[in-house]
């Protein structure tokens, strides 16, 4: 009687260099025969080295290796047909260097965003718009109505923080922020590109 083996394959896995890649590293395994399940988990599929940054493992190669152990296994695969192996050495990063990187990027983003906002307000002539609103409401002409410009400036900052959900978090729904969605989409596109390039280079 043939045994059924279920594999839930991960789309992407990060592994250290010079490591034997076993099935347990890239997939969840289930089989009624616990001894066979443990044997499949420990099955070596490939090895990493110091020279490669990425490697692609096909599900077909996994099936082939399993069939070499026992040809009477019915294999049921769930997940991606190809696994992207990202080879990375987890070395402890210098805290000072990390702080300087974050600080530098934050300063650049701060001034870049400030210049963009200033140029936008200059293009739409926001100063004149606020002066017009002040004249309509109060009947007094004023070039720079602080009663409007100060709340507007504060509201701009608070609005950006609220938009990215860094202060006011929703209690009922654990929804991702727009920034998190953009980062997820960006990382997915990067993974797809690396998978495609690595796969074609290995052919």
């Amino acid at each position: 009687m043939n045994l059924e083996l279920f594999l839930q394959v991960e789309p992407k896995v990060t592994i250290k260099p010079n490591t034997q890649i076993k099935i347990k590293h890239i997939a969840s395994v289930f089989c009624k025969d616990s001894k066979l399940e443990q044997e499949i988990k420990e099955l070596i599929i490939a090895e990493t080295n110091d020279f490669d940054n990425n490697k692609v493992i096909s599900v077909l190669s996994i099936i082939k290796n399993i069939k070499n152990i026992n040809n009477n296994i019915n294999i049921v695969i769930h997940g991606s047909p190809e696994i992207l192996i990202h080879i990375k050495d987890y070395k402890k990063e210098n805290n000072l260097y990390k702080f300087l990187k974050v600080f530098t990027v934050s300063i650049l983003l701060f001034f870049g965003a400030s210049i963009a906002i200033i140029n936008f307000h200059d293009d739409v002539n926001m100063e004149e718009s606020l002066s017009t609103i002040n004249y309509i409401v109060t009947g007094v002409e004023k070039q720079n109505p602080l009663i409007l410009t100060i709340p507007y400036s504060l509201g701009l900052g608070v609005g950006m923080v609220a938009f990215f959900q860094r202060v006011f978090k929703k209690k009922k729904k654990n929804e991702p922020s727009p920034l998190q969605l953009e980062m997820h989409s960006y990382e997915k596109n990067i993974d797809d590109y690396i998978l495609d390039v690595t796969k074609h280079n290995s052919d």
Side-chain angles (χ1 to χ4, degrees), residues 117-129 152:
I117 292 172
I118 290 170
N119 288 334
F120 168 76
H121 285 100
D122 186 61
D123 288 339
V124 300
N125 204 351
M126 183 60 69
E127 184 179 355
E128 184 178 342
S129 299
Y152 175 79

Side-chain angles (χ1 to χ4, degrees), residues 58-191:
S58 171
V59 168
L60 293 177
S61 66
I62 297 176
I63 295 174
K64 181 180 178 181
N65 280 273
I66 294 175
K67 288 291 186 179
N68 288 336
I69 293 179
N70 190 333
N71 198 40
N72 296 321
I73 302 176
N74 292 328
I75 304 172
V76 181
I77 303 288
H78 297 278
S80 175
E82 293 165 329
I83 304 102
L84 175 62
I85 306 298
H86 182 54
I87 303 169
K88 182 179 180 181
D89 191 5
Y90 290 98
K91 294 180 180 179
K92 189 174 181 181
E93 191 173 7
N94 188 293
N95 290 330
L96 178 60
Y97 177 66
K98 186 176 181 180
F99 171 79
L100 289 175
K101 283 200 303 184
V102 173
F103 179 76
T104 302
V105 172
S106 300
I107 290 296
L108 291 174
L109 290 175
F110 174 78
F111 284 106
S114 300
I115 292 171
I117 292 172
I118 290 170
N119 288 334
F120 168 76
H121 285 100
D122 186 61
D123 288 339
V124 300
N125 204 351
M126 183 60 69
E127 184 179 355
E128 184 178 342
S129 299
L130 293 176
S131 298
T132 303
I133 294 172
N134 182 73
Y135 177 73
I136 293 172
V137 174
T138 64
V140 179
E141 289 188 8
K142 200 170 185 179
Q143 187 64 27
N144 186 23
L146 295 179
I147 195 172
L148 291 179
T149 55
I150 292 176
Y152 175 79
S153 301
L154 294 174
L156 188 64
V158 173
M160 290 295 292
V161 172
F163 179 74
F164 288 109
Q165 298 179 359
R166 291 305 177 192
V167 174
F168 308 107
K169 293 185 178 180
K170 295 182 180 180
K171 295 181 180 180
K172 294 184 179 180
K173 295 182 180 180
N174 188 19
E175 297 179 357
S177 68
L179 181 60
Q180 289 172 324
L181 290 175
E182 284 297 323
M183 289 301 299
H184 175 75
S185 177
Y186 173 77
E187 289 174 0
K188 190 175 185 304
N189 290 334
I190 290 292
D191 290 343

